[in-house]
Amino acid sequence: MEKFERLDKIISTQTSYSRKDIKKLCRSGDIYVNGQVCRNSDAKVDPQNTEIIVCGEKIEYKRYVYYMMNKPKGVLSASNDKNAPTVIDLVPENLYRKNLFPAGRLDKDTTGLLIITDDGDFAHRMLSPNKKVYKHYIATVDKELDESVKSEFENGIVLSDGTVCQKAFFEKIGPCVARVQICEGKFHQVKKMFSACSYIVEELRRVQIGSLKLDENLQEGQTRELTENEKLLIFDTKND
Ligand code: URA
């Protein structure tokens, strides 16, 4: 990968400024590169080794960012939507960057662990069923769970449209509550799997991805950066 990149590209991916804004800020002398005013927004610099200050604020360059959100009910897992608030709307201003997206979708009424990033390869690796990164959900259903559901989930549920799901893990943890692990991300998958066994999911919460658990101190709607170790935990697939 080329080491040097255009100044406007660097600033625009790290902040909410557009390239047009950056051009204007360069003209007005509000951008400093290694201590010198830079009036040229297409100047090429090495982002890893250059101090860039925009309107008095130093750019802490990061190629990509990785966040954990505790998704509340009522928001869409999308980058933008005309009619409803999205998870990206909830990202606080100091963490916001232009290319953020949710890595995988949770339904509007599903809560819990959501990874938000601007790294497409990372998201693909986490979501691809072949990588066997299991997503753990706590599902509350409408009636007492029969013991037979476990083997149905473990043998591969066939959805009402004939789609065969991969083996899933199932643990009954309350009369109407189960912990379910799946490594695929089909649309409404957990709800459809229960529906195939004649249950309706009333509450669904994602609590873990790979070995990364939802931080219990993170309030619903809050977002924070993942640590380097937490990023690795996602791909630690020992399954517990
Ligand atoms: N399965 C569902 O049915 N819904 C979700 O939000 C996630 C998994």
Side-chain angles (χ1 to χ4, degrees), residues 105-107 110 137 182 186 188-192 204:
R105 284 166 186 262
L106 291 178
D107 296 337
T110 301
Y137 295 87
I182 57 172
K186 300 184 198 305
H188 296 326
Q189 183 163 345
V190 173
K191 290 175 186 165
K192 286 179 178 168
L204 192 60

Side-chain angles (χ1 to χ4, degrees), residues 49 87 93 104 136 160 181 191:
N49 296 303
V87 290
E93 208 178 310
H136 301 222
S160 59
Q181 299 178 42
K191 290 175 186 165

Side-chain angles (χ1 to χ4, degrees), residues 60-90:
E60 298 295 345
Y61 180 79
K62 287 177 186 155
R63 180 78 182 87
Y64 296 117
V65 291
Y66 307 88
Y67 302 145
M68 169 191 292
M69 174 181 281
N70 183 356
K71 180 192 171 296
K73 281 190 184 179
V75 291
L76 293 179
S77 294
S79 294
N80 52 59
D81 189 89
K82 282 195 211 83
N83 304 312
T86 72
V87 290
I88 302 302
D89 296 330
L90 294 184

Side-chain angles (χ1 to χ4, degrees), residues 124-223:
H124 182 259
R125 216 153 43 93
M126 189 184 101
L127 298 172
S128 166
N130 300 334
K131 303 287 182 209
K132 296 279 182 283
V133 175
Y134 279 85
K135 286 82 186 175
H136 301 222
Y137 295 87
I138 305 293
T140 306
V141 295
D142 60 328
K143 56 181 187 253
E144 172 135 18
L145 285 158
D146 194 88
E147 297 305 328
S148 62
V149 182
K150 182 176 170 66
S151 58
E152 289 192 60
F153 270 57
E154 290 180 355
N155 291 333
I157 296 267
V158 182
L159 303 181
S160 59
D161 64 358
T163 307
V164 181
C165 297
Q166 288 193 25
K167 170 189 165 84
F169 294 94
F170 180 97
E171 186 192 355
K172 185 172 169 183
I173 56 175
C176 307
V177 187
R179 185 179 182 104
V180 172
Q181 299 178 42
I182 57 172
C183 65
E184 302 166 288
K186 300 184 198 305
F187 189 54
H188 296 326
Q189 183 163 345
V190 173
K191 290 175 186 165
K192 286 179 178 168
M193 287 166 80
F194 275 105
S195 169
C197 304
S198 307
Y199 295 90
I200 298 168
V201 173
E202 291 182 337
E203 290 282 331
L204 192 60
R205 179 162 183 76
R206 186 156 67 193
V207 292
Q208 186 171 334
I209 299 177
S211 298
L212 175 69
K213 294 187 167 70
L214 176 65
D215 179 347
E216 286 175 1
N217 295 317
L218 205 60
Q219 303 294 310
E220 283 196 359
Q222 283 188 332
T223 306

